């Protein structure tokens, strides 16, 4: 019997398994519905967007189970339905899903995410000067960072999700000067929004990354690349990323 690993499960969601391994994972998921729900959530956060709304130049592959086969794998359609349900539950509208499905260079993603996470770790734990300019001077902060980064920026309002802006600073990135906006909730948990030039000029869907307790969502618009970073639960960070996206997509 094939041993099902976490790597195989991720590859299954990404559609990167051989037919034999896919069959093995489907059998496993049929026997472990709680894991199937978890995979559906992974899909909903990232890959289900491409799976449900594939690029126009990507052929759709349908695996048809033989008729009247009682033990035929059932996960394929179930996972997509579950993923779609989760997307709807998150309130993800057409604007979110209509974003370009262009693939991001993995090396670029890794570099930008590492820089955003490093900046978050360095400054979010600073008890004395976590930001250079405080939220009380938000207009000055946004204008200064916009000038340094070279693109108009905003400090999204995340108060509806319990996070208030405490300020921001200029940080360094491979692509050049980057902006970091920092937020804090009532428990003292801090998250940061990292923004830098260097976008491919295309619209790219969200990518989730996890490094220890720190989690992040990375995405691009036609001007900038962004990373939202924090030691909060994935679903909560997803809701925050959606809120940021909605306010920046104007």
């Amino acid at each position: 019997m094939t041993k099902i690993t976490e790597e195989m499960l991720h590859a299954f969601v990404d559609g990167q398994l051989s037919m034999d391994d896919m069959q093995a994972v489907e059998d496993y998921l049929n026997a472990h519905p709680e894991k199937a729900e978890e995979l559906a959530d992974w899909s909903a956060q990232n890959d289900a967007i491409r799976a449900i709304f594939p690029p126009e130049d990507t052929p759709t592959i349908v695996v048809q189970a033989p008729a009247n086969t009682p033990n035929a794998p059932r996960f394929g359609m179930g996972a997509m339905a579950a993923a779609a349900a989760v997307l709807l539950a998150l309130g993800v509208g057409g604007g979110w899903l209509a974003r370009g499905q262009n693939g991001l260079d993995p090396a670029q993603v890794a570099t930008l995410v590492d820089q955003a996470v490093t900046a978050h770790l360095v400054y979010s734990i600073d008890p004395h000067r976590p930001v250079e300019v405080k939220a009380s001077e938000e207009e000055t902060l946004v204008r200064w960072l916009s000038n340094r980064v070279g693109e108009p920026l905003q400090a999204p309002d995340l108060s509806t999700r319990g996070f208030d802006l405490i300020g921001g600073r200029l940080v360094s990135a491979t692509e050049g000067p980057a902006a970091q906006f920092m937020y804090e909730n009532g428990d003292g948990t801090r998250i940061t929004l990292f923004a830098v030039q260097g976008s491919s000029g295309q619209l790219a869907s969200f990518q989730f990354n996890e490094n220890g307790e720190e989690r992040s969502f990375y995405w691009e618009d036609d001007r900038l690349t962004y990373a939202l970073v924090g030691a909060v639960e994935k679903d909560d960070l997803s809701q925050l990323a959606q809120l940021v996206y909605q306010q920046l997509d104007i």
Side-chain angles (χ1 to χ4, degrees), residues 27-78:
D27 291 343
Y28 170 82
L29 293 171
N30 284 332
H32 299 83
E34 73 288 350
K35 200 65 178 179
E37 292 180 5
E38 184 178 348
L39 262 66
D41 182 55
W42 297 352
S43 297
Q45 297 297 336
N46 183 23
D47 295 319
I49 295 177
R50 289 192 293 272
I52 299 171
F53 299 94
E56 292 183 0
D57 58 352
T58 301
T60 300
I61 301 174
V62 178
V63 179
Q64 179 67 49
N68 302 318
T69 304
N71 295 321
R74 298 180 299 280
F75 178 76
M77 291 302 295

Side-chain angles (χ1 to χ4, degrees), residues 94-225:
W96 178 286
L97 294 176
R99 294 316 235 169
Q101 305 302 318
N102 306 288
L104 298 179
D105 175 42
Q108 178 194 20
V109 173
T111 299
L112 263 295
V113 170
D114 283 347
Q115 292 171 349
V117 170
T118 297
H120 174 83
L121 291 172
V122 168
Y123 296 114
S124 66
I125 63 172
D126 190 329
H128 303 297
R129 196 179 179 187
V131 298
E132 289 183 277
V133 182
K134 295 182 179 180
S136 58
E137 302 177 76
E138 180 178 341
E139 184 177 344
T140 299
L141 170 66
V142 171
R143 183 171 62 250
W144 170 56
L145 290 178
S146 296
N147 289 337
R148 294 303 305 272
V149 172
E151 289 286 351
L153 299 172
Q154 292 176 256
D157 181 358
L158 306 182
S159 58
T160 58
R161 300 295 305 174
F163 282 87
D164 294 317
L165 179 71
I166 62 174
R169 66 167 58 243
L170 190 70
V171 297
S172 178
T174 302
E175 287 75 8
Q180 184 192 69
F181 294 101
M182 188 177 296
Y183 298 80
E184 185 176 74
N185 68 6
D187 296 328
T189 300
R190 290 173 174 174
I191 61 172
T192 55
L193 176 64
F194 177 97
V196 66
Q197 274 197 10
S199 167
S200 63
Q202 300 172 330
L203 304 178
S205 57
F206 285 63
Q207 295 202 13
F208 174 75
N209 298 274
E210 188 167 11
N211 183 1
E213 294 184 356
E214 303 301 327
R215 301 174 179 88
S216 62
F217 276 95
Y218 170 99
W219 72 98
E220 294 185 4
D221 65 16
D222 57 348
R223 299 182 299 111
L224 297 161
T225 57

